[in-house]
Amino acid sequence: MLRLAMTTDAETFERVRGPLAERGIEVGHVRAKERSLRVSGGDDESADVASADIPGEFDGFDVGLVYPTRLMEGAVVDERLGVPWVNGRDAVVTSRNKAGVLARLDAAGLPTPRTTLVSNPVDESVVVDAVEGFSYPVVVKPNSATRGVGVATATDPDSLLGVVDYLNLIHDYRATGDKSFLIQEFLPDARDYRAMVVDGECAGAVRRELDADALAAGRWKHNVHRGATARGVDLDPEARDLAERAAEALGIDYLGVDLLETDDRLVVNETNARPTVDAATKYEDDFYDRFAALIRRTAERE
């Protein structure tokens, strides 16, 4: 039985345990954050007690599923586990950089929303110049945030500078690593899809939708963590191909690709190298077979 270490115990962990066990892969949880971790002093008999390690918790694993989201803790967990990862550190860092992803996809000839990166701190004049050529409203989003955190629309120059003032307060904190944000064209009424690409092939997709009350209240962000509902859909060949080409351009084996579709455009909006696995009914029948095959092949790298 192959042993897989996962550093999340949220929805994905619970959903994948059974299907992967049926395919000979035992899934275990390794807690990577909000705890203490032994870094050195392993010969000291009291070290594990002092660091609150559980004896043997890092032992016996063959492969890991997605490098921990907190890179500092991840470096310690990675060393303690000593296993190859499905989506290692490089994949997570690549996907987290929204601007870097869009720049690479654009260079590869893939359609993306028009986007400008602003690196704080800058004068207001830089922001005003950066938005030239865009039509209001525009989307403003932190470059490295997830789950739609900090994403807002601006309807005119005053509201744009107001959003930037808010970001300035956050970026003023010295320990904030990424001080950049994006200004992006807003695609009204776009259909929002999350395509799951496993080992180079699209393995299914969901459409994320807001209910009527949310739409009537003026909400527009389709993040499931903010209340949107995800339902399984069959993507047309163009959308499947675009998702697969995005994963290939980034060189990431296991990737959530966010697509926005209007009546006349289909673009890659973001990617996620730590995608949540939804209910199996929302994916293709062989999803877990392909997922398990990728995990096994990764384990064989060492």
Side-chain angles (χ1 to χ4, degrees):
M1 177 81 72
L2 194 73
R3 293 198 69 214
L4 172 70
M6 291 184 63
T7 58
T8 175
D9 61 353
E11 303 101 321
T12 294
F13 178 79
E14 294 299 333
R15 287 185 180 129
V16 306
R17 290 176 70 186
L20 289 180
E22 294 171 359
R23 291 160 176 81
I25 300 174
E26 178 186 351
V27 181
H29 176 232
V30 173
R31 186 178 169 193
K33 62 182 182 181
E34 297 176 356
R35 59 168 298 179
S36 61
L37 287 162
R38 176 174 60 77
V39 175
S40 60
D43 294 333
D44 182 350
E45 294 182 358
S46 65
D48 283 344
V49 175
S51 64
D53 283 7
I54 301 172
E57 68 172 312
F58 297 100
D59 299 338
F61 287 102
D62 303 291
V63 60
L65 179 63
V66 185
Y67 196 89
T69 183
R70 295 187 182 180
L71 302 182
M72 303 302 112
E73 292 92 326
V76 177
V77 171
D78 186 19
E79 189 64 32
R80 296 287 299 276
L81 282 171
V83 299
W85 295 89
V86 175
N87 288 9
R89 184 183 187 280
D90 289 348
V92 171
V93 171
T94 294
S95 181
R96 181 179 296 177
N97 183 348
K98 301 180 192 299
V101 164
L102 294 177
R104 186 179 297 188
L105 297 183
D106 183 70
L110 276 63
T112 62
R114 179 172 182 171
T115 306
T116 294
L117 173 72
V118 179
S119 177
N120 261 340
V122 295
D123 292 334
E124 287 188 352
S125 61
V126 175
V127 178
V128 172
D129 290 343
V131 82
E132 284 189 5
F134 287 83
S135 297
Y136 285 101
V138 295
V139 177
V140 186
K141 62 175 68 171
N143 185 47
S144 299
T146 61
R147 300 185 174 186
V149 174
V151 180
T153 55
T155 56
D156 54 44
D158 284 339
S159 62
L160 171 62
L161 294 176
V163 173
V164 173
D165 283 343
Y166 164 74
L167 292 175
N168 286 339
L169 290 175
I170 300 172
H171 290 165
D172 190 53
Y173 179 51
R174 292 183 180 182
T176 303
D178 184 0
K179 299 181 184 295
S180 60
F181 63 91
L182 306 181
I183 297 174
Q184 193 170 70
E185 67 173 310
F186 180 60
L187 300 178
D189 302 319
R191 296 173 288 279
D192 185 302
Y193 301 102
R194 161 64 63 85
M196 186 73 82
V197 180
V198 179
D199 208 11
E201 293 186 31
C202 184
V206 296
R207 180 175 176 181
R208 299 178 290 199
E209 300 174 289
L210 295 171
D211 62 28
D213 290 341
L215 292 172
R219 292 174 55 191
W220 59 276
K221 290 188 285 187
H222 291 83
N223 304 80
V224 172
H225 295 93
R226 295 301 180 91
T229 299
R231 61 179 181 85
V233 294
D234 293 324
L235 289 179
D236 62 37
E238 181 185 3
R240 290 175 63 93
D241 178 67
L242 180 56
E244 292 171 356
R245 290 168 61 201
E248 180 182 15
L250 298 176
I252 299 178
D253 292 328
Y254 168 56
L255 188 67
V257 181
D258 293 348
L259 305 172
L260 295 178
E261 183 181 42
T262 65
D263 290 341
D264 57 359
R265 292 179 67 188
L266 175 68
V267 300
V268 179
N269 187 43
E270 295 182 7
T271 63
N272 189 336
R274 296 180 55 86
T276 297
V277 175
D278 218 308
T281 54
K282 299 178 182 179
Y283 299 120
E284 297 178 2
D285 292 341
D286 64 348
F287 169 77
Y288 275 105
D289 292 331
R290 289 157 57 181
F291 194 27
L294 173 60
I295 293 169
R296 289 188 177 280
R297 196 182 79 242
T298 302
E300 293 169 357
R301 291 176 186 170
E302 291 189 2

